[in-house]
């Protein structure tokens, strides 16, 4: 029953969000709502909670409903990208460079987390294990977050391991539901090593669920630009510009800063496609495809 | 009697005995029901709990495989967190088949968990702990029930959900329910008991209480208030029976009260009579005590008191080195008063004398009557000189004439005085000394005398005389002297008066005054009289043989005339000597006749009937009444010498003599005047027509030879009267 209640709560939250955003549609009733898709970096519940204020803000500012959408896993999310269901989309760097090439999505902003607009990957191990150097990953099970399309939690660690002459054939890879789960898999001994973004151990979902002091960072990759925000290629320039403007000015007012806090970012900053060239190089190196 | 024992335990009362079993039954029934319900509720609650936990856990079991297989530990953790939020679940942990935890959630705020959490942070409800290690610790709590649910996919075990369930809520709820039920049960029991007790009290206890109160009233003798009867059931019938019983008891009590009242009256009267008798007895005892210690006639202390007082005075005088004196006193001639006027006069005289004596003494002095006319007086702290003064004073006190029933009685006293310690140091010696002194006073007629040793010797001498007198009588050593009686007309001796004399071998001639009183006191008077009569009659017979025919006068004592055998004795003596009766003249004193006129009269009449002449001696001193005198079978009167001797100088005495002569003549009696000692008196007596004279003027009493010679001469006696002998 508890579970039922929780499900009902979740459903109620989604409905409330939908209802509340619809209430604030002042606007051009004839225009279709904008769909803002958020990749499952965290659980759906956390994701909805984190970005609902932003969607509400955009709805108000754009005078057009902005529908917030997330998915249970990366595969489902990517199908939405592939089908171009999202007018505004927030995903990882790999998603962007591929969607840009394949579906025309254009980046207009990127996250600034913990005051940084870049992010790196780290290789984590448990302190009480024997895996204290990057070479020790050989023969171990490495948990990655989100799946093979995860940029910071898979592609970038593989790139880093490759640079350390550790081939993906030299270890067993498992993919956790998302990056935090990769760390949790390490913690719960389902993996010997975890490869995730450098900010993941600092995420509340991690700190609240596991004792990170038992973990040790044995390697960290180079930094790449942070997670991008992109719009569908057919979005009018005015709208995309307006959206970009709304994003990058959120940090200008105290009231809007709450939206940033809720989204677990310190700011949104302007991003250009060229900012993700390095990402394209790394992807090319790891996957072998040029986006 | 009976009363309510307020301290009696209610449990032991009838109400308690009735209600307590009901309470017990209700308690067992409702208590058992409550326990049963409690057990059922508890079992049901546990079953519901298990079912609920099973359902929840199974749901998690169903959704967990995806999370596990996709390494979605965050979601798995959320499932566990959500599951843990459920009531009664303390913890839920997913453990891998290898035994590693796959969830980290643990509600640190849970009271079962918090005691085991270290470094607990207030703002962080889910601090990360090693739940695998924490779980066994939590399980040690007795409230915790652990359930395990395997997570399987296609028979491959992915892990197990360990669920810790707290039974505390169920225990508390069921316990609270049990308590509520117990409270309700107790309330029901109390209510039912109160109701039952009230009903029991109204219909059973109240009538019984009435009966108890009625019994108490009955026990307290209150039978007026009946027992109230409330119903017609068995208790009502009992109440009516009780009232009937009370009515009957009341009637019985009324009857009993009446009898008791009568008994009380009788008892009261009896007590009153007893009290009265007791009072009378006290009075009588007082009187007896008084009588025992006092003389009934005079009221003076008796001999016992005198002796006690004497001892008392001796005791204190010894202590104080003091002296005191004792008087022994008797009345002179009291016997004559008694004999002449009777005992009534004598008693009255004694009373009067005792009053005068008492008035003449100090308060500290003690006077007592020892018997007869004998008194004793104790004078504390008194010397002999002072006692002598008191004795003289008492003698003077007694001197004035006593008027007793119109008779003027003159009397004197003889007092003997002894002194402590001079004359003895004990009561007997002192009383004896005073007694000896008193006899000396009496015999010497000196009024009072103080004891000295010579008196005691004399008294001893008198005692010797008594023995010798008895011998003298037996041996007829006594002799008679005769005093002639002369007829005034013929002046010749017509008779003699025989007077006894005792010619003692060593003491010489002893006169009657020295031994007659002793003879009277010792009973020798009768043989003495007999001897005198015998000698006198024998002498008369002798004279008859010598042709001397004169009368022979013999004095009789009171004892003789009171002896009924005396006439017979007299007759025998006369017959033995063949003397004519007319020659014998028996002289009886006036006082002797008056001492007991009736009996004396009988004896005298018998003597007179024998033809013997009788003469009243010492007439004028015995207070005889004329009526008695008239009845006396006497032939002559002898005027007492005290009147005759002074008649020449005392006109009163002459008048008494004259009137006596005239009286006697008027009664046909001859008159003899004795104590005639002078011719002048003789002449006056002749002038007064006195018939016979006797006295020293004629002749003193002389022995038989001399009187015989005198009688032989046959000459006038007056002219030839011998020279008076004053010493006779």
């Amino acid at each position: 029953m508890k579970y039922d209640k929780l499900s009902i709560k979740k459903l109620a939250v989604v409905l409330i969000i939908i209802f509340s955003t619809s209430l604030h549609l002042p606007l051009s009733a004839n225009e279709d709502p904008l769909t803002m898709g958020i990749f499952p970096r965290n659980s759906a519940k956390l994701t909805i909670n984190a970005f609902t204020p932003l969607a509400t803000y955009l709805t108000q500012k754009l005078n057009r409903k902005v529908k917030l959408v997330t998915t249970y896993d990366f595969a489902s999310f990517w199908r939405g990208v592939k089908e171009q269901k999202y007018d505004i989309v927030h995903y990882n760097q790999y998603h962007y460079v591929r969607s840009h090439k394949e579906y025309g999505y254009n980046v207009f902003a990127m996250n600034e987390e913990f005051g940084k607009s870049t992010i790196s990957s780290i290789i984590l191990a448990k302190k009480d294990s024997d895996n204290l150097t990057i070479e020790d990953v050989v023969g171990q099970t490495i948990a990655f977050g989100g799946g093979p399309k995860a940029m910071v939690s898979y592609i970038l660690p593989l790139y880093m391991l490759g640079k350390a002459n550790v081939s993906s054939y030299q270890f067993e890879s498992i993919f956790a539901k998302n990056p935090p789960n990769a760390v949790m898999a390490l913690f719960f001994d389902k993996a010997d090593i975890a490869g995730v973004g450098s900010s993941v151990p600092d995420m509340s979902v991690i700190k609240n669920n596991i004792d990170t002091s038992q973990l040790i960072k044995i390697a960290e990759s180079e930094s790449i630009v942070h997670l991008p925000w992109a719009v569908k290629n057919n979005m009018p320039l005015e709208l995309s510009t307006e959206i970009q403007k709304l994003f990058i000015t959120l940090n200008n007012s105290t009231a809007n800063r709450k939206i940033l806090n809720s989204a677990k970012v310190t700011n949104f900053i302007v991003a250009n496609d060229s900012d993700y060239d390095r990402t394209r190089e790394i992807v090319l190196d790891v996957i072998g495809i040029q986006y | 009697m009976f009363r309510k024992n307020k301290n009696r335990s209610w449990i032991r009362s009838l109400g308690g005995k009735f209600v307590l079993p009901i309470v017990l039954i209700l308690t067992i029934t409702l208590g058992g029901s409550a326990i049963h319900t409690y057990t059922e509720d508890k079992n049901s609650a546990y079953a519901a709990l298990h079912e609920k936990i099973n359902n929840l856990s199974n749901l998690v079991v169903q959704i967990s495989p995806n999370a596990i297989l996709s390494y979605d530990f965050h979601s798995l953790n959320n499932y566990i967190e959500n599951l843990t939020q459920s009531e009664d679940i303390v913890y839920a942990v997913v453990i891998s088949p290898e035994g590693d935890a796959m969830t980290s959630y643990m509600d640190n705020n849970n009271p079962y968990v918090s005691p085991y959490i270290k470094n607990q942070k207030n703002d962080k409800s889910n601090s990360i702990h090693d739940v695998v290690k924490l779980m066994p610790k939590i399980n040690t709590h007795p409230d915790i029930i652990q359930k395990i649910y395997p997570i399987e996919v296609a028979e491959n075990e992915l892990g197990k959900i360990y669920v810790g369930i707290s039974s505390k809520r169920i225990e508390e709820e069921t316990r609270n329910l049990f308590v509520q039920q117990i409270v309700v049960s107790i309330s029901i029991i109390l209510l039912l008991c109160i109701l039952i007790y009230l009903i029991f009290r109204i219909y059973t206890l109240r009538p019984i209480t009435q009966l108890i109160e009625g019994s108490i009233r009955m026990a307290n003798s209150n039978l007026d208030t009946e027992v109230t009867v409330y119903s017609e059931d068995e208790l009502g019938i009992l109440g009516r029976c009780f009232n009937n019983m009370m009515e009957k008891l009341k009637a019985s009590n009324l009857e009993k009260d009446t009898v008791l009242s009568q008994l009380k009256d009788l008892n009261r009267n009896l007590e009153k009579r007893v009290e009265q008798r007791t009072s009378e007895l006290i009075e009588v005892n007082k009187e007896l005590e008084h009588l025992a210690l006092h003389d009934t006639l005079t009221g003076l202390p008796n001999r016992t008191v005198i002796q006690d007082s004497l001892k008392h005075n001796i005791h204190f005088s010894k202590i104080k080195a003091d002296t005191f004196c004792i008087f022994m006193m008797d009345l002179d001639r009291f016997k004559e008063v008694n004999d002449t006027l009777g005992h009534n006069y004598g008693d009255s005289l004694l009373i009067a004398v005792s009053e005068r004596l008492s008035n003449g003494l100090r308060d500290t002095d003690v006077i007592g009557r020892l018997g007869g006319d004998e008194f004793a007086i104790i004078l504390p702290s008194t010397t002999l000189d002072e006692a002598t003064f008191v004795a003289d004073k008492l003698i003077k006190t007694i001197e004035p004439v006593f008027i007793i029933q119109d008779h003027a009685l003159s009397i004197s006293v003889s007092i003997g005085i002894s002194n402590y310690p001079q004359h003895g140091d004990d009561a007997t010696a002192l009383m004896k000394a005073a007694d000896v002194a008193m006899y000396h006073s009496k015999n010497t007629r000196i009024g009072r005398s103080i004891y000295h040793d010579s008196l005691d010797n004399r008294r001893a001498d008198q005692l010797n005389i008594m023995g010798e007198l008895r011998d003298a009588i037996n041996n007829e050593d006594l002799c008679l002297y005769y005093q002639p009686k002369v007829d005034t007309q013929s002046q010749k001796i017509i008779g003699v008066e025989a007077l006894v004399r005792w010619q003692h071998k060593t003491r010489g001639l002893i006169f009657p005054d020295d031994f007659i009183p002793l003879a009277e006191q010792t009973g020798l008077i009768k043989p003495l009289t007999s001897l005198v009569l015998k000698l006198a009659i024998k002498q008369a017979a002798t004279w008859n043989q010598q042709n001397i025919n004169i009368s022979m006068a013999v004095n009789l004592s009171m004892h003789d005339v009171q002896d009924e055998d005396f006439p017979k004795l007299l007759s025998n003596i006369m017959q033995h000597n063949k003397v004519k009766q007319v020659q014998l003249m028996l002289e009886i004193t006036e006082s002797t006749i008056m001492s007991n006129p009736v009996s004396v009269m009988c004896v005298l009449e018998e003597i007179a009937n024998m033809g013997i002449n009788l003469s009243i001696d010492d007439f004028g001193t015995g207070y005889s009444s004329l009526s008695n005198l008239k009845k006396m079978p006497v032939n002559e009167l002898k005027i007492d010498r005290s009147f005759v001797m002074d008649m020449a100088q005392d006109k009163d005495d002459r008048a008494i003599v004259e009137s006596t002569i005239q009286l006697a003549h008027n009664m046909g009696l001859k008159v003899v005047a004795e104590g005639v000692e002078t011719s002048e008196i003789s002449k006056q007596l002749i002038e007064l027509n006195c018939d016979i004279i006797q006295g020293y003027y004629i002749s003193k009493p002389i022995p038989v030879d001399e009187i015989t010679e005198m009688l032989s001469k046959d000459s006038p006696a007056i002219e030839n009267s011998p020279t008076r002998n004053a010493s006779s």
Side-chain angles (χ1 to χ4, degrees), chain B residues 593-648:
Chain B
I593 294 170
M594 298 313 296
S595 64
N596 192 350
V598 177
S599 64
V600 170
M601 189 74 78
C602 292
V603 175
L604 293 182
E605 283 181 349
E606 194 171 348
I607 293 171
N609 290 336
M610 290 166 63
I612 296 170
N613 294 320
L614 293 169
S615 173
I616 296 174
D617 198 4
D618 298 338
F619 187 81
T621 60
Y623 317 108
S624 58
S625 67
L626 288 176
S627 60
N628 285 334
L629 186 61
K630 188 179 173 183
K631 296 173 186 174
M632 294 287 177
V634 297
N635 304 97
E636 69 174 24
L637 288 179
K638 289 184 78 173
I639 300 171
D640 188 76
R641 66 180 69 213
S642 61
F643 300 110
V644 177
M645 287 169 72
D646 295 333
M647 65 180 289

Side-chain angles (χ1 to χ4, degrees), chain B residues 390-404:
Chain B
V390 174
D392 292 340
K393 179 183 165 190
L394 290 179
I395 289 168
K396 287 182 180 175
T397 301
I398 296 301
E399 273 180 1
V401 171
F402 291 93
I403 305 299
I404 306 295

Side-chain angles (χ1 to χ4, degrees), chain A residues 3 6 17 22 25 87 127 136 162-163 186 196 201 255 257 270:
Chain A
Y3 187 75
L6 284 171
I17 293 165
S22 63
L25 287 178
D87 296 305
K127 283 182 179 175
D136 293 333
K163 290 297 178 185
L186 170 64
V196 294
R257 209 168 286 137
V270 176

